[in-house]
């Protein structure tokens, strides 16, 4: 029986800007997203019966139709009339509800994996369109690399990757709901919008200092004001010498970009003093 594997990497937002609230309730965004080398691993195997079965070593995520990987399997199966079953094992490494798009990346990996397992031969663009039905970040997770995302996040343009560096990720022990953060966000209260052209320019020149200087996320203040532990992590990263620091997505994970390896240990050790979930990874370029 054939078995396949897919990696589902986490994403960070180098820039997250919200332009306005739309009539359909979604927010019109402009984001620059890139993948980092922290990933869930999915194993997919054909089942002799027509059923989707999900398992995971992580005890704290749903394994039924609430799981985005399950929803992705059901969607592709129904849309293309596949009458076969699949067993999916999810080795969860990305922290949950962290602002790292873990669930979206699992859904993306499921679509890509089942496209292979069931020999559907769907082009990437079709998988991206399918993924957008389940979540705004899923098309980006299918495409990977680095992209400028517009609309509600589903309209993508691939762009130059960031210069290689260390990425220190720290997640305080709280779960933040993206819907809650957007619910509390007021676009007219934003004092300064981050500049997408400035970040694009920094990336095209592969300038690490300019990339750090162009980081920006308009949702950051909503989460920082609500959760002092997120601010504490941000301050600690800055004080311990990270070159650029920003909250990812709606949080609560904060990432620090560090160019020199000798500085990484200092940032890591400073955070480990009070935060359990700290990861040191590389950009996926
Ligand atoms: P985003 O950055 O896209 O907002 P996130 O990283 O903040 O995503 P997720 O880790 O995707 O958040 O989890 C958000 C919620 O989705 C959790 O409460 C969890 O119960 C549910 N969920 C559904 N499927 C998954 C999955 N495969 N992995 C993790 N969480 C999942």
């Amino acid at each position: 029986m054939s078995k396949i594997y897919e990696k589902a990497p986490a994403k960070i937002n180098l820039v997250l800007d919200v332009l306005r609230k739309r009539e359909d309730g979604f927010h019109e965004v402009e984001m620059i997203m890139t993948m980092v080398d922290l990933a869930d691993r999915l194993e997919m195997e054909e089942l002799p019966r027509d059923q989707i079965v999900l398992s995971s070593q992580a005890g704290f995520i749903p394994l039924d139709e609430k799981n985005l990987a399950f929803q992705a399997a059901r969607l592709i199966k129904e849309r293309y009339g596949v009458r076969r079953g699949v067993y999916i094992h999810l080795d969860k490494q990305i922290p949950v509800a962290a602002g790292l798009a873990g669930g979206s990346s699992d859904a993306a990996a499921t679509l890509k994996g089942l496209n292979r397992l069931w020999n559907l031969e769907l082009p990437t663009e079709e998988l991206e369109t399918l993924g957008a039905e389940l979540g705004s970040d899923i098309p980006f997770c299918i495409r990977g690399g680095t992209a400028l995302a517009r609309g509600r996040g589903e309209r993508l343009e691939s762009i130059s990757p960031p210069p290689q560096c260390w990425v220190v990720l720290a997640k305080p022990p709280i779960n933040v709901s993206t819907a809650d953060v957007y619910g509390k966000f007021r676009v007219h209260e934003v004092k300064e919008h981050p500049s997408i052209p400035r970040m694009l320019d920094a990336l095209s020149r592969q300038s690490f200092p300019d990339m750090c200087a162009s980081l920006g996320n308009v949702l950051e203040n909503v989460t920082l004001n609500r959760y002092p532990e997120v601010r504490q992590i941000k301050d600690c990263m800055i004080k311990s010498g990270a070159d650029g620091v920003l909250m990812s997505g709606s949080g609560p994970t904060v990432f620090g970009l560090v160019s020199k390896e000798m500085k990484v240990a200092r940032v890591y050790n400073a955070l480990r003093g009070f935060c359990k979930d700290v990861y040191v990874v590389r950009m996926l370029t």
Side-chain angles (χ1 to χ4, degrees):
M1 200 151 293
S2 54
K3 205 188 236 192
I4 57 155
Y5 299 89
E6 282 284 341
K7 254 176 120 173
K11 66 93 204 182
I12 55 172
N13 297 85
L14 300 177
V15 178
L16 194 165
D17 195 13
V18 179
L19 307 183
R20 63 184 174 88
K21 187 159 184 193
R22 313 191 319 191
E23 266 100 67
D24 63 5
F26 286 105
H27 287 82
E28 188 74 19
V29 297
E30 277 190 344
M31 307 188 284
I32 295 182
M33 305 196 272
T34 198
M35 294 294 193
V36 295
D37 194 12
L38 169 69
D40 293 343
R41 280 185 205 88
L42 285 84
E43 187 183 309
M44 290 168 235
E45 189 175 6
E46 285 227 39
L47 276 184
R49 56 190 189 282
D50 186 358
Q51 199 184 2
I52 302 164
V53 180
L54 197 61
S55 72
S56 175
Q57 96 296 8
F60 39 78
I61 52 163
L63 293 173
D64 54 10
E65 64 275 4
K66 288 195 202 77
N67 195 298
L68 279 164
F70 186 101
Q71 290 172 24
R74 187 174 55 190
L75 180 66
I76 196 167
K77 198 167 138 36
E78 286 176 1
R79 190 63 50 88
Y80 297 94
V82 179
R83 297 226 171 81
R84 288 146 87 181
V86 63
Y87 166 67
I88 305 173
H89 181 74
L90 195 51
D91 176 8
K92 201 82 202 143
Q93 300 296 325
I94 305 172
V96 176
L100 298 171
S104 300
S105 201
D106 292 343
T110 303
L111 293 177
K112 289 199 285 186
L114 294 182
N115 189 32
R116 287 201 285 135
L117 188 72
W118 291 334
N119 298 312
L120 298 173
E121 293 180 8
L122 305 171
T124 305
E125 303 78 64
E126 200 163 329
L127 291 178
E128 287 177 12
T129 310
L130 202 60
E133 291 182 32
L134 294 176
S136 307
D137 281 348
I138 298 176
F140 169 69
C141 294
I142 290 170
R143 184 175 302 199
T146 308
L148 169 59
R150 293 199 171 93
R152 53 183 178 88
E154 85 290 11
R155 276 175 30 219
L156 299 175
E157 191 184 315
S158 291
I159 57 168
S160 325
Q164 191 48 277
C165 63
W166 299 92
V167 184
V168 184
L169 300 161
K171 181 193 172 277
I174 48 169
N175 289 347
V176 170
S177 141
T178 304
D180 263 14
V181 174
Y182 271 103
K184 295 209 164 47
F185 173 76
R186 299 285 173 271
V187 72
H188 61 267
E189 287 172 7
V190 176
K191 292 200 184 76
E192 201 184 333
H193 287 268
S195 167
I196 295 272
R198 208 169 140 212
M199 180 59 85
L200 290 175
D201 180 56
L203 298 182
S204 70
R205 288 185 291 104
Q206 291 282 289
S207 165
F208 178 76
D210 290 351
M211 169 173 74
C212 292
S214 312
L215 295 170
N217 178 350
V218 294
L219 299 180
E220 197 177 55
N221 273 333
V222 179
T223 311
L224 288 183
N225 291 337
R226 204 146 164 239
Y227 302 100
E229 45 276 76
V230 182
R231 191 180 291 280
Q232 195 188 3
I233 287 180
K234 203 177 164 185
D235 290 346
C236 174
M237 283 208 193
I238 295 168
K239 274 200 206 113
S240 59
D243 301 295
V245 180
L246 192 72
M247 185 185 81
S248 185
S250 51
T253 302
V254 174
F255 65 86
L257 306 181
V258 183
S259 66
K260 298 212 169 66
E261 190 170 2
M262 45 191 257
K263 265 210 265 177
V264 174
R266 181 146 49 100
V267 178
Y268 177 82
N269 290 330
L271 288 161
R272 282 291 291 176
F274 62 96
C275 182
K276 193 170 69 66
D277 283 337
V278 187
Y279 309 81
V280 176
V281 297
R282 299 286 277 168
M283 292 279 193
L284 272 187
T285 53

